[in-house]
Amino acid sequence: MLSLYPGRPSVLPGEPLDLHVSTNAARYDLAVYRIGSTGLDQRHSVWALRNIPGHAYWKRFQVDPVTRSTRADWPVATSLDTTGWAPGVYVVKATDSAREVGWTIFVVRSPAFSPERPAFVLPVMTYQAYNEWGAGDFYTHPRAVQVSFERPYLNGAGLAAFQRSDVRLLAWLTAHGYTLDFTTDYDLAHDPPAGAPGLLIIPMHMEYVPASLRDWIELHVNSLGDMNLALYGANSIYWQTRLVPAPVQGEPDELVCYKSLDDPIAATDPGAATVRWRDAPVNRPEGLILGSQYVGILGDGHFDRYDYTVDRAAPPELLAGTGWTTSTRILGLLVGEGDALFPNSGAIPVLDGHGRDKNGKPLATNVVVRISPAGARVFSVGTFQWTDGFVASRIGLNIGVSAASFERFNRNVLAWLGFPAPR
C-alpha cells in the first residue's frame, strides 16, 4: 500500500512544497516530472530522492462525524525546493521497495497573469469532489458535504481525472508552442487576482465553483471583456460551493457542497446556498457565461461515443483551411457528459452533437462560440473527450476527418480567441 499527497494544491516558484507519503514497504524513491509536449514523460525528472525510509500511516486518518470530511493527517515525508522551477503542472512518482507505485499532482503557479498569455487552470476542487479516499466524496453514500485536500487521490492512480483528458490538452498546447501561465481553480477562488490573462483555459471538468471564482470569471468575461475563455470540457460551473478554513491552521481550505437547501447557510444567506448555479434561490445559469450548459450524461458516461455535424452557423474563420462543410461529421468525440447551447446567451452553434442518454433517449449537444456584451470571446466544446482528437491515431480512434484538419480547426479557435499558433 503506497500513497502520497502534496501539502498544498500549488506553490509559487521558490516556495517549498511538503509531500506526505505512506507505505508498508521498508524504503521508497521519489521523482518529480513536469508535464510537457509529450505529456507525462518519465525520461527526465526535475527532482529525485532515493532510498527514503518507509512508514505506514494509514490508521492516522480522521473523519469529521458531521461533514464526513476526511483528513489523512500524515506527517511530512520530505519538502521539495522549487527554486528555479518553471510554472507548470507537476506530478510526483513514488516507487517503493515492494515495487508498488503511487502518484500525486500539483501546480507551480505563475506569479502573475499576463494579457499576452493564456492561463491553464488545473481543476483541483473538482478533482477532490470526486475523491473517494477515506470516508468519501460528494457522491458516496453516505455523502460527504465537505472535502479536504489533506489526503491522496484515490482515483486515477493518484492523479485524479488528469489523465482522462487534461494531460492531452496541456501536451497539445505545449507542443504547438503556446507559452502558458498556470494556476488552479482553488487559487483563483481563494484569492482572485486583480488582473486577468488574455485567455483562461479550463480543461475537462470544473464542476464545483465557489462564488468568488464564478464572480471573477463573470467580471472579466461579461463585464470588463478583458479575458477570453476556452472550455475544453463539459458540465462546468455547475454547483455553487464555498471554501471554509481547515481544522488545522496552515492547511488548505476545505470545499463545502450540500447540494441542497439543507446547507445551514441557506437560512440566513439563501443566495450563497450550495445548490446548482442555475437553480433557485441562486438563479445564475452557467450558460450566461459559457454560452452552453450541461444537459445530461451520454450513454454509459465513459465509453459510449457519439458524433458531431458542422452547423450551418459556424463562423467561416473557424473552418478556414479545414475543408469542413455543413455536411462534415466529426466522429466519436462526444463522450461522458454533454452541454447544449443556452438560449439568449449570444452563443452560436459551431458543431451539433447527436448523442443518447443511458435509456436511449436522444440527447442534443453543441460546440459553441459566444461574444459577451463586453466583447470577450468564449469557446466551449461541451464534451469530456474532445482532446481524444489530438491523439486519435495513437488510440485507434477514427474521428471521420483528417488529423491535419482537426489540428487546423483547433488552431483557428485559439486564433479567434486572440492567440494564433506560434508554430
Side-chain angles (χ1 to χ4, degrees), residues 130 235 294-302 306 335-339 355-359 361 363 365 384:
Y130 285 87
N235 191 17
Y294 173 72
V295 290
I297 296 174
L298 295 147
D300 64 6
H302 294 277
Y306 302 96
V335 184
E337 298 183 359
D339 296 353
R356 293 185 178 276
D357 67 14
K358 65 180 180 180
N359 298 315
K361 181 180 178 181
L363 193 63
T365 74
F384 278 179

Side-chain angles (χ1 to χ4, degrees), residues 18-367:
D18 292 338
L19 290 178
H20 306 259
V21 183
S22 179
T23 177
N24 291 337
R27 313 197 78 79
Y28 64 94
D29 300 335
L30 293 171
V32 179
Y33 306 92
R34 185 178 185 272
I35 302 299
S37 60
T38 54
L40 204 175
D41 188 339
Q42 298 181 50
R43 292 174 295 178
H44 304 288
S45 64
V46 300
W47 179 93
L49 187 63
R50 311 293 184 193
N51 207 31
I52 308 165
H55 300 279
Y57 297 116
W58 312 105
K59 295 181 180 180
R60 291 182 55 138
F61 78 94
Q62 300 178 13
V63 181
D64 186 288
V66 176
T67 66
R68 297 191 64 78
S69 173
T70 305
R71 299 172 59 258
D73 196 32
W74 300 344
V76 175
T78 190
S79 185
L80 304 178
D81 179 359
T82 65
T83 301
W85 291 20
V89 177
Y90 289 78
V91 298
V92 187
K93 180 182 181 181
T95 307
D96 69 21
S97 51
R99 299 185 179 180
E100 287 199 43
V101 174
W103 297 86
T104 196
I105 187 167
F106 66 94
V107 169
V108 175
R109 68 184 185 274
S110 301
F113 290 143
S114 167
E116 306 302 318
R117 292 188 297 271
F120 184 92
V121 181
L122 194 70
V124 294
M125 289 190 292
T126 294
Y127 286 178
Q128 285 293 357
Y130 285 87
N131 183 10
E132 295 182 4
W133 194 95
D137 58 13
F138 290 159
Y139 294 86
T140 51
H141 300 284
R143 184 169 58 82
V145 296
Q146 185 168 317
V147 293
S148 169
F149 285 93
E150 187 74 10
R151 58 187 183 143
Y153 293 114
L154 184 63
N155 55 329
L159 296 177
F162 181 66
Q163 294 196 91
R164 179 168 178 178
S165 174
D166 300 355
V167 67
R168 292 173 177 173
L169 174 60
L170 181 51
W172 186 86
L173 290 165
T174 305
H176 285 77
Y178 294 96
T179 301
L180 305 172
D181 286 330
F182 291 88
T183 190
T184 73
D185 56 349
Y186 173 86
D187 291 290
L188 290 176
H190 187 266
D191 188 16
L199 172 64
L200 191 73
I201 298 176
I202 300 172
M204 185 187 82
H205 202 192
M206 194 178 78
E207 181 178 356
Y208 290 86
V209 173
S212 54
L213 175 51
R214 161 80 188 240
D215 292 347
W216 181 82
I217 294 173
E218 197 161 4
L219 170 68
H220 289 285
V221 173
N222 284 355
S223 298
L224 300 179
D226 61 351
M227 182 177 76
N228 294 334
L229 179 64
L231 171 61
Y232 288 88
N235 191 17
S236 289
I237 317 182
Y238 187 65
W239 289 103
Q240 175 165 234
T241 62
R242 66 177 176 275
L243 291 169
V244 299
V248 176
Q249 187 175 6
E251 290 183 359
D253 288 353
E254 299 192 354
L255 188 69
V256 173
C257 190
Y258 280 79
K259 296 189 172 184
S260 72
L261 292 177
D262 292 336
D263 187 345
I265 207 171
T268 55
D269 189 2
T274 53
V275 298
R276 295 174 183 89
W277 278 104
R278 63 181 72 173
D279 291 346
V282 179
N283 297 320
R284 297 173 66 185
E286 59 272 29
L288 293 176
I289 301 174
L290 303 174
S292 62
Q293 64 182 35
Y294 173 72
V295 290
I297 296 174
L298 295 147
D300 64 6
H302 294 277
F303 303 106
D304 291 338
R305 293 183 176 272
Y306 302 96
D307 306 335
Y308 289 104
T309 302
V310 176
D311 191 280
R312 66 181 63 191
E317 59 266 41
L318 300 188
L319 304 183
T322 65
W324 296 3
T325 69
T326 52
S327 63
T328 301
R329 294 179 69 85
I330 296 88
L331 309 180
L333 297 184
L334 183 55
V335 184
E337 298 183 359
D339 296 353
L341 184 143
F342 187 68
N344 303 315
S345 65
I348 298 170
V350 179
L351 306 178
D352 302 321
H354 314 282
R356 293 185 178 276
D357 67 14
K358 65 180 180 180
N359 298 315
K361 181 180 178 181
L363 193 63
T365 74
N366 303 99
V367 176

